[in-house]
């Protein structure tokens, strides 16, 4: 008998019940963003909407009920005005709200003047709410030095209103209520203004940080490209110099009807493999995949000063007469410092082989004293000029061609060292001092 089991359906938990509901604050935030975008696109719509709202809520009741009627629990003694005069006063209070955002101080001044005028005539209007709306706009958008003047004008304009309603309530109670309403309008305007200034500051700071991040990325990329260029120059320049010298030696033997020795051919092949492996390692920094094909050998580890003997052996096979001496404990130094010293020695020896040629005598000294590492490479000049004057081309400094000296100088500067290269006697000397330890 075959049993068929059906997977139990998970029961809805509290996550399913509340997962679809969004926070109320997030909804209001998105709605506010949409309103701000719409306001930036059509600013006149909001201005007209504010005016229409004031007209609907405050102007129409004044027109329908008139003056001198019971309003709430109080009976305000008010002078009845003809309809044209009432409409004129309401227009003077409401219409300036259309430019309250573009010219807040002007709009407030006009409304305050109409406010004082109609209260001096003994007329009470619900449309006086426009004064507080204009005061809010001054606190939000006007120059800061205009706000104290607006507050003073408001306080002076509220006094006749408080006196006129003294038949219904105490003057001090009316003043307290009116001043509190004006204070709330100013506080609300300043709060929104400060919040907007904070948001603008945060946006500017975010933009600056983004620009600085991009600049740091570009600088890091430029530094990495420079480092890769130096490595490429070291790898290609050194190994090609050795290969060319060995190939010339093989060609001379072949021209003399002699068979090149197997050791020479093995040295050429080994130098080419070493160059290919180091080239793949350097290109790996640029996103290349090392050993992507199975028939390609994997690149070996990066060279260091421990490989200086192998470097000298290859140069001796290429024809240089090298005397190498190491002083001090190399293991106390940082790996990057040892790699830099190796690259400097490699480049100096390649330049000696390239410009002084086979048969030149070279002295290589690597000395470690505490955190100080010194590399000195001195060649004797071209072998054919040992007994005669030095070549003018060599006298002018063939090392200055290309990026050899520039790369060595930059490598040395990375570790706070000093670098010197120039003629000495019949040859050239390269000295680099680096500082760094573990």
């Amino acid at each position: 008998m075959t049993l068929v089991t059906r997977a139990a359906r998970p029961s809805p938990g509290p996550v399913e019940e509340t997962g679809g509901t969004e926070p109320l604050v997030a909804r209001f935030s998105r709605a506010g963003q949409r309103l701000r975008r719409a306001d930036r696109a059509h600013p006149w719509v909001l201005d007209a909407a504010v005016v229409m709202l004031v007209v609907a809520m405050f102007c129409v009741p004044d027109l329908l009920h008139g003056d001198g009627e019971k309003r709430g629990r109080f009976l305000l003694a008010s002078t009845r005005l003809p309809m044209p005069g009432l409409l004129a006063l309401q227009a003077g209070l409401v219409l300036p709200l259309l430019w309250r955002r573009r010219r807040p101080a002007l709009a407030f001044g006009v409304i305050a003047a109409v406010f004082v005028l109609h209260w001096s005539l003994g007329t009470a209007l619900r449309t006086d709410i426009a004064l507080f709306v204009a005061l809010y706009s001054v606190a939000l958008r006007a120059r800061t030095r205009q706000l104290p003047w607006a507050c003073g004008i408001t306080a002076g304009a509220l006094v006749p209103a408080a006196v006129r309603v003294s038949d219904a309530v105490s003057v001090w109670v009316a003043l307290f209520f009116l001043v509190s309403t004006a204070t709330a309008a100013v506080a609300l305007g300043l709060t929104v203004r400060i919040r907007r200034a904070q948001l603008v500051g945060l946006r500017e700071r975010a933009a600056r940080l983004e620009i600085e991040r991009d600049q740091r990325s570009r600088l890091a990329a430029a530094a990495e490209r420079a480092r890769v260029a130096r490595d490429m120059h070291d790898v290609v320049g050194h190994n090609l110099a050795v290969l060319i010298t060995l190939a010339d030696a093989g060609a001379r033997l072949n021209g003399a009807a002699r068979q090149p020795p197997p050791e020479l051919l093995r040295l050429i092949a080994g130098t080419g493999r070493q160059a290919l492996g180091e080239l793949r390692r350097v290109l790996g920094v640029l996103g290349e995949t090392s050993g992507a094909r199975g028939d390609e050998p994997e690149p070996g580890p990066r060279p260091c000063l421990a490989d200086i003997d192998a470097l000298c052996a290859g140069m001796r096979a290429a024809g240089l007469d090298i005397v190498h001496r190491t002083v001090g404990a190399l293991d106390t130094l940082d790996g990057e410092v040892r790699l830099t010293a190796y690259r400097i020695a490699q480049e100096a020896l390649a330049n000696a082989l390239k410009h002084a040629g086979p048969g030149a005598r070279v002295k290589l000294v690597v000395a470690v004293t505490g955190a100080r590492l010194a590399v000195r490479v001195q060649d004797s000049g071209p072998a054919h000029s040992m007994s005669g004057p030095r070549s003018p081309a060599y006298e002018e400094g063939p090392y200055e061609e290309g990026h050899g000296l520039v790369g060595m100088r930059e490598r040395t500067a990375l570790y706070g060292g000093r670098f010197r290269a120039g003629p000495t006697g019949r040859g050239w000397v390269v000295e680099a001092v680096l500082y760094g330890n573990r």
Side-chain angles (χ1 to χ4, degrees):
M1 182 175 60
T2 305
L3 296 179
V4 179
T5 59
R6 179 177 299 174
R9 178 177 300 174
S11 60
V15 176
E16 294 184 359
E17 296 177 358
T18 59
T21 60
E22 298 178 353
L24 189 61
V25 176
R27 292 185 178 182
F28 279 120
S29 177
R30 284 193 293 271
Q33 291 176 0
R34 287 194 292 267
L35 287 176
R36 284 193 292 271
R37 287 195 296 267
D39 183 45
R40 285 193 295 268
H42 307 285
W44 58 270
V45 175
L46 181 59
D47 296 335
V50 171
V51 171
M52 292 174 60
L53 182 64
V54 173
V55 169
M57 294 184 63
F58 302 102
C59 293
V60 173
D62 280 338
L63 295 176
L64 294 179
H65 299 294
D67 299 321
E69 296 186 2
K70 191 173 183 180
R71 298 177 181 178
R73 296 182 303 161
F74 306 111
L75 184 65
L76 300 180
S78 177
T79 303
R80 181 180 298 275
L81 293 177
M83 185 60 64
L86 184 62
L87 290 176
L89 290 175
Q90 289 184 340
L93 290 171
V94 174
L95 292 182
L97 295 178
L98 289 173
W99 64 80
R100 65 182 180 87
R101 294 195 294 178
R102 295 185 298 274
R103 303 292 296 276
L106 177 61
F108 172 80
V110 174
I111 293 174
V114 177
F115 181 89
V116 173
L117 174 62
H118 84 77
W119 277 107
S120 62
L121 295 176
T123 303
L125 297 176
R126 296 179 177 88
T127 323
D128 291 339
I129 191 68
L131 178 68
F132 303 109
V133 176
L135 184 60
Y136 161 81
S137 300
V138 170
L140 177 61
R141 299 179 181 277
R143 298 184 180 91
T144 53
R145 64 173 180 270
Q146 294 176 342
L147 181 59
W149 290 98
C151 293
I153 292 174
T154 302
L158 294 178
V159 173
V163 173
R164 294 296 299 179
V165 300
S166 59
D167 295 337
V169 295
S170 170
V171 175
W172 299 109
V173 173
L175 276 178
F176 174 79
F177 174 77
L178 295 175
V179 172
S180 298
T181 306
T183 303
V186 173
L188 182 60
L190 291 178
T191 301
V192 176
R193 182 172 190 158
I194 293 172
R195 178 59 178 169
R196 289 182 180 179
Q198 290 176 344
L199 291 177
V200 171
L202 290 176
R203 293 191 190 99
E204 293 177 352
R205 183 172 181 270
R208 283 198 309 271
L209 290 177
E210 186 175 358
I211 293 174
E212 292 175 0
R213 182 197 63 191
D214 294 340
Q215 290 176 346
R216 286 195 298 267
S217 299
R218 286 194 292 268
L219 290 176
E224 187 64 18
R225 284 195 298 268
R227 188 189 68 80
V228 172
R230 288 194 299 267
D231 286 346
M232 292 282 290
H233 179 270
D234 293 339
V235 172
V236 176
H238 165 73
N239 290 288
L240 282 184
V242 175
L243 286 175
I244 291 171
T245 304
L246 294 175
D248 288 341
R252 286 194 297 270
L253 292 176
N254 192 25
R258 296 173 56 188
Q259 187 70 22
E263 180 64 28
L264 179 63
L265 299 179
R266 283 195 296 269
L267 189 57
I268 292 176
T271 304
R273 291 191 186 95
Q274 180 184 0
L276 184 60
E278 292 192 16
L279 190 60
R280 289 201 190 101
R281 181 187 58 78
V282 173
L283 291 178
V285 180
L286 301 178
E288 298 290 335
T289 303
S290 300
R293 295 191 295 269
D295 57 344
E296 296 179 350
E298 293 288 340
R302 294 192 302 176
C304 62
L305 284 178
D307 303 319
I308 202 75
D309 292 330
L311 176 64
C312 293
M315 287 297 182
R316 291 189 188 99
L320 287 181
D321 181 12
I322 298 179
V323 177
H324 166 226
R325 184 164 60 97
T326 301
V327 180
L330 300 178
D331 294 337
T332 60
L333 298 174
D334 182 75
E336 293 296 329
V337 177
R338 287 181 288 171
L339 173 62
T340 301
Y342 178 88
R343 291 301 189 193
I344 292 174
Q346 183 185 48
E347 176 65 22
L349 292 176
N351 283 340
L353 178 63
K354 185 188 306 181
H355 300 290
R361 290 195 298 270
V362 180
K363 293 181 181 180
L364 170 60
V365 179
V366 179
V368 178
T369 306
R372 180 179 180 273
L373 172 61
V375 179
R376 178 184 173 89
V377 179
Q378 182 177 0
D379 65 70
S380 60
H384 57 78
S385 63
M386 295 294 293
S387 59
R390 186 165 47 183
S391 164
Y394 194 81
E395 176 75 31
E396 294 173 0
Y399 288 9
E400 294 296 340
E401 300 175 2
H403 302 280
L405 290 183
V406 175
M408 289 188 285
R409 184 174 291 108
E410 290 178 352
R411 289 181 184 276
T412 306
L414 289 177
Y415 294 94
R418 59 180 185 272
F419 177 81
R420 183 178 71 89
T424 173
R426 293 188 175 275
W428 265 70
V429 63
V430 173
E431 287 183 318
V433 178
L434 300 90
Y435 297 92
N437 53 13
R438 289 177 179 172

